Every structure is written in structure tokens, then in C-alpha cells.
Amino acid sequence: APAGYGNSPYSALSAFAGNAFLISLERLAERGWIGAERLSKLPPNVAPVNFEQVQETKVPLLQEAARNFIAKADAANRERFEKFCWLNGWWLEDYVLFAVLRSHYGASSWNEWPRELAERRPEALTKVREKFADEINVERALQFFFFEQWRALHQECRRRGIRVVGDVAIFVSYDSADVWANPELFRLNEDLSPEVVAGVPPDYFSKNGQRWGNPLYRWDVLASRRYDWWVKRMRYALHTCDIVRIDHFRGFESYWEIPAEEETAVRGRWVKGPADHFFQVLREELGELPVVAEDLGLITDDVVALRERLRIPGMKVIQFGFGDPGAHMYLPHKYVENTVVYTGTHDNDTTVGWCTNCSEAEREAAKAYFGESPDGIHWAMIRAAETSIARYCIIPLQDLLGLDSEHRMNIPAHPEGNWTWRFSSSALQKELAEKLGAITFVSDRVPSHTSHAGEQSHGEAGENFAA
């Protein structure tokens, strides 16, 4: 998704669009949409991502390629482009107009635009569509590039027996095409500002709780429409990926509602979510849902009961298992089969970093649990995850490579400097693959190659995923 505030995918500008930063200019050059020599001055893809540099150097080249495509595409390419725009028009047209207007108004939030545009008055939208027709078409072409390349990658993954796990955040950003285009679905005031926002209450980790600021849904309106926007969202996510992790699953049972004028999350309240009815409608519309529930943190019995009624696997993070006896629920000997085990997620420190920074008591508990780890705590934790009863197992690449805290992906509640890590292809050595492969084989997590491309086995053996 195109990232907004803090370059975070969880503050995306759209629940449907692709992030143009990820488009391969090299593949566009191979297709003749931009000269290969134009890419010669781009920095190498080895250091952490500098998003400002990407915006300044890569985006103009992407736009140049898009303009070349629009001007020079032959009949076959133009037909594919027009088909893409037609099939995706239900989200694409709102997004490309939003993206162009947001850029025109200096990346300001849509509620700061002229009132007639914030309120989406038809005559005003018609005028700006005409005024910015060329820029809008460039944005369409960028989305076409992204999804052509994603489809090629996804198909290659399927050919190799690899399924891809996507992520759907329960809430969307206020500054997004989704809220701008569908204000009736969100708790907004008459002036279109948020009435209430999302977050979590004060707890052991935060005396003021967390005020995320996402607008909350009008679940009554959505229910009356059979959750049509969510049905489209999940259908699209499951078309784009093979399995979807639903972030903040507990919010479907109950969510923390904070008056928008409050600066912290303290003065909020729990409000019941749509729960079973929501998932019942999704299954009626989409069939069985290959989803994973992110159910970490302080979870009530009602949330556990909802997940179990829905037969959706929950998450366990081994790093969480050593704080006190109550934390042992995260250790493999406590798992049930319908579980997804992680050594750590994108929000955790790397396992090597965790071992360096955790308390002495946690370190001693981990040593008692794993025994001696001559090849490192990360390999001990990888073995424990892989050989657990959990149906699915996900290992962050940072843990596979044994990297320290400098390589973690995200520090929650620290908005700057996140989402920048990337690996070097030279780090993926044959010896590493063989070592992981041996563990994968003995723990029965080798993907089935007996199924046809795109049709994966759902047998008893556990599985690894790309995420």
C-alpha cells in the first residue's frame, strides 16, 4: 500500500492501491518504457531505505516511464492497461484523483483541501478531473505497472509452491482515499473531522494508552449494506495474496473508542464490534476465509471465544514467552495446532537483539528452555518454532540471518526511522538454505509439490510462508 505518515504501511493512503516505490524500474526498462541509461545514477539497493531520496530520484523516473507508456504503448499493451483500469475502476478512480490532489495541495490531508473537493461535490470533481487529466493517467499507469509486476511475482511464487501472506489493518488512515471517498462509513462530524478515533487503553506498558487516531467505522451502516466495502476489501486482499493476517483482530469483538478531541487514550471506552455477524457475511460472500488473527496483547476471554468459534488460527510470538509464568502461553509446549508461530514480528526486536536487550531473568529462562545454543539464540528459537505443533510458522529474515537490533523493522510508538531495513541478496547463502532446509524437512514443513501451480495442499503437515 502507498504509505502515508511515517512511511508506515499501517497509515496507508489507500486500502487497495500498490506502493509505487516498489515498482522495478529495471523491468520497465526491459519493456522499453524508459531508457536503461536513465537508471545509471540511482543509488545501489543495499543500504537502509531513504524514503526522501526515493521520492526525489525514483518517483520522477517512474512518472517518466508512465508518460512514455501512455504515449507509445502498442495495441496489446494498451488493451491490457484499459482492461486493468476497467476491472479496478471501483477503487482506482477515487485513488488516482486523491493522489493527484494530495500532491497538488502539498501532501496536506484531504479535509484541508477546498471545501468543494473535501465534500466531493460532483461539479468540482468534474473540473479537477479535466484539469489534471494527464497527471491522473500517470497515476493509473503507475498502478498498472505495480500490479503487473506483482502478478508476475505472485505467479512465480505459486509455481514454486510458495504462498504469500498479506496483512489487512482493521482500521484505515483518516488521510486516505478510502475515508475521502466513503465518508458515510466512518464516524465523522458534519465538518468531516473525526468524531471518535481508535486506540488502546492504558496498560502496563503505557500509562496513557495509545491514541492511534484512525477514524472508527459506522458498523451499523456497514451491517445494513452487508459490509460491502469490507467484502470488496477482503476479496481484493485474497486475490492479491494467498492468506491474510487480520491486524488487531480483537477490535471486531470490542474496540477502544476515544473522543477525537482527547489528546491521549485515557478517556475512552470499550464498544462492542460486529463480531460473528461480520465474519458470517464475509464467508457467505467469499467462502471459507484463509485468514490469521493477530490476537496479541491483552486479550479477553470473549475475543478468544470469537476466534475459536470462527476456527481462525491465532498468533504466538516466542520472544514473549519468558517474562513471567503468565507469558508461558507463548512457548511451544502450550500451543494448540490451529496456531501461527513467529520468533518475532515486524514490531519486535530481532531475536539476537532481544537476547541482548531483555532482562537477565528472561535470558536465563530462555537458556533453561532452549539449552545451550552454540549457533546462536536465533537458531534455537527457529528450531523451537519449526518443530512446534503450530500449523504455520513464520521466521523473519533478520532472525534467519542472525542480525542485531540495528536491523529491526519497526519500533511501535516511535514514528521516525522505521520500515527502512532491506537485505542484500549476497546474504542469502547456499549453506543457510541447506541448514534451514534440513530443519524444514524434519519438521514436515516442506511445501507440497504434488499440487498444481496455484493449488496448495491443506494437509496435516505444518507450513512455512513468505510474508
Side-chain angles (χ1 to χ4, degrees), residues 91-209:
W91 66 264
L92 180 65
E93 291 309 301
D94 284 321
Y95 171 70
V96 295
L97 182 56
F98 174 86
V100 168
L101 289 173
R102 190 173 187 272
S103 176
H104 179 71
Y105 289 109
S108 60
S109 181
W110 60 268
N111 64 317
E112 297 175 13
W113 301 347
R115 206 74 220 144
E116 64 271 17
L117 295 177
E119 295 177 353
R120 293 177 57 87
R121 297 175 194 167
E123 64 280 4
L125 296 187
T126 298
K127 286 181 181 178
V128 291
R129 285 193 180 101
E130 293 171 354
K131 179 179 179 181
F132 298 116
D134 292 342
E135 292 91 335
I136 289 169
N137 219 20
V138 165
E139 290 293 337
R140 289 191 188 106
L142 292 178
Q143 290 302 305
F144 174 67
F145 290 162
F146 177 92
F147 284 104
E148 285 258 298
Q149 292 186 6
W150 173 254
R151 184 173 60 191
L153 174 61
H154 195 193
Q155 287 176 347
E156 180 64 14
C157 286
R158 287 185 167 187
R159 190 182 71 80
R160 294 171 178 263
I162 299 168
R163 281 188 285 170
V164 178
V165 182
D167 201 326
V168 167
I170 181 174
F171 301 118
V172 297
S173 175
Y174 176 73
D175 185 19
S176 68
D178 310 294
V179 179
W180 177 62
N182 304 280
E184 72 281 2
L185 302 183
F186 298 91
R187 298 276 301 280
L188 306 180
N189 295 311
E190 284 190 15
D191 66 356
L192 299 176
S193 63
E195 175 193 356
V196 287
V197 296
V200 288
D203 57 22
Y204 174 80
F205 302 100
S206 173
K207 66 178 182 179
N208 291 322

Side-chain angles (χ1 to χ4, degrees), residues 219-268:
W219 283 117
D220 56 337
V221 173
L222 279 161
S224 72
R225 296 165 45 161
R226 286 182 60 80
Y227 308 103
D228 55 350
W229 182 86
W230 264 99
V231 168
K232 291 177 182 177
R233 188 183 188 194
M234 291 301 295
R235 179 183 288 120
Y236 195 73
L238 292 169
H239 173 74
T240 308
C241 301
D242 302 295
I243 293 177
V244 169
R245 170 188 179 270
I246 300 179
D247 190 51
H248 198 59
F249 173 81
R250 72 108 55 244
F252 290 102
E253 194 283 323
S254 293
Y255 53 88
W256 191 245
E257 177 186 284
I258 307 164
E261 63 271 14
E262 292 291 332
E263 295 183 359
T264 73
V266 172
R267 298 181 186 273

